[in-house]
Amino acid sequence: MKNTNSKKLVQDPPFKVIEAFYQNWVAGVEEGGSGVNIHLTFSEKDADVLIQNIYFRNAILEAKGNINAPNKFVGYLTNNTKRDVIMDADSMKEAKNTISDEFPFQLKDNEAVVEYWFAGEKNYYKIGNISQRDMIPYPQANPNQHE
């Protein structure tokens, strides 16, 4: 596993991953989009652990929790066909384009890295062999537009 940006993977985190799966989804309307949701469920999670981000398929996803299920987290990856790139004759406007940082991990499609805080330090833990569930066809627009 090649690491860049000095993000070191932890071998023995203060939690256990008891379930990890991803699920493709597609909206029933053209403008609704498509994407992948990654679901992680933890057990034996130390009370001081703060799950922050999920690195999955070359994207950094915010790990969204649920107050009713404190050990379950979801990352929402939306497939965007349009890019927010400014093309203009005025080079000062084009200068506002930002270059994204290089993705810090080399992961297979069924692997993810969890970024979490513990004991005042940011840590990273790799999860492999994430299973895929059947696609969800939503009849209407993007179901993840609750943000």
Side-chain angles (χ1 to χ4, degrees), residues 82-140:
K82 62 181 182 184
R83 301 173 119 190
D84 294 329
V85 177
I86 300 168
M87 299 299 289
D88 198 284
D90 183 348
S91 61
M92 292 306 288
K93 288 182 182 175
E94 281 191 9
K96 293 179 184 175
N97 289 327
T98 56
I99 298 172
S100 62
D101 293 332
E102 182 180 328
F103 191 73
F105 303 105
Q106 289 184 349
L107 302 172
K108 297 176 185 170
D109 277 355
N110 67 340
E111 295 178 330
V113 170
V114 176
E115 176 185 306
Y116 65 96
W117 285 89
F118 181 65
E121 291 185 12
K122 190 183 286 189
N123 296 284
Y124 302 89
Y125 177 69
K126 182 178 173 182
I127 303 168
N129 297 320
I130 300 171
S131 63
Q132 179 176 0
R133 298 250 174 111
D134 290 342
M135 179 188 291
I136 302 173
Y138 289 104
Q140 295 161 359

Side-chain angles (χ1 to χ4, degrees), residues 5-138:
N5 299 343
S6 70
K7 293 189 184 325
K8 187 173 185 282
L9 294 172
V10 170
Q11 299 300 316
D12 190 22
F15 53 77
K16 289 202 181 325
V17 178
I18 57 171
E19 184 177 43
F21 68 91
Y22 63 93
Q23 198 163 29
N24 294 307
W25 61 269
V26 63
V29 294
E30 188 175 335
E31 301 83 30
S34 64
V36 181
N37 296 344
I38 179 166
H39 300 260
L40 303 176
T41 304
F42 300 92
S43 72
E44 300 177 33
K45 184 167 77 67
D46 189 291
D48 295 332
V49 170
L50 174 65
I51 305 294
Q52 189 159 17
N53 291 308
I54 303 168
Y55 293 70
F56 182 67
R57 297 196 177 171
N58 292 324
I60 302 171
L61 312 173
E62 180 183 353
K64 300 220 180 232
N66 180 334
I67 196 162
N68 297 320
N71 288 333
K72 292 187 177 195
F73 293 85
V74 180
Y76 300 102
L77 176 60
T78 304
N79 298 329
N80 290 329
T81 54
K82 62 181 182 184
R83 301 173 119 190
D84 294 329
V85 177
I86 300 168
M87 299 299 289
D88 198 284
D90 183 348
S91 61
M92 292 306 288
K93 288 182 182 175
E94 281 191 9
K96 293 179 184 175
N97 289 327
T98 56
I99 298 172
S100 62
D101 293 332
E102 182 180 328
F103 191 73
F105 303 105
Q106 289 184 349
L107 302 172
K108 297 176 185 170
D109 277 355
N110 67 340
E111 295 178 330
V113 170
V114 176
E115 176 185 306
Y116 65 96
W117 285 89
F118 181 65
E121 291 185 12
K122 190 183 286 189
N123 296 284
Y124 302 89
Y125 177 69
K126 182 178 173 182
I127 303 168
N129 297 320
I130 300 171
S131 63
Q132 179 176 0
R133 298 250 174 111
D134 290 342
M135 179 188 291
I136 302 173
Y138 289 104

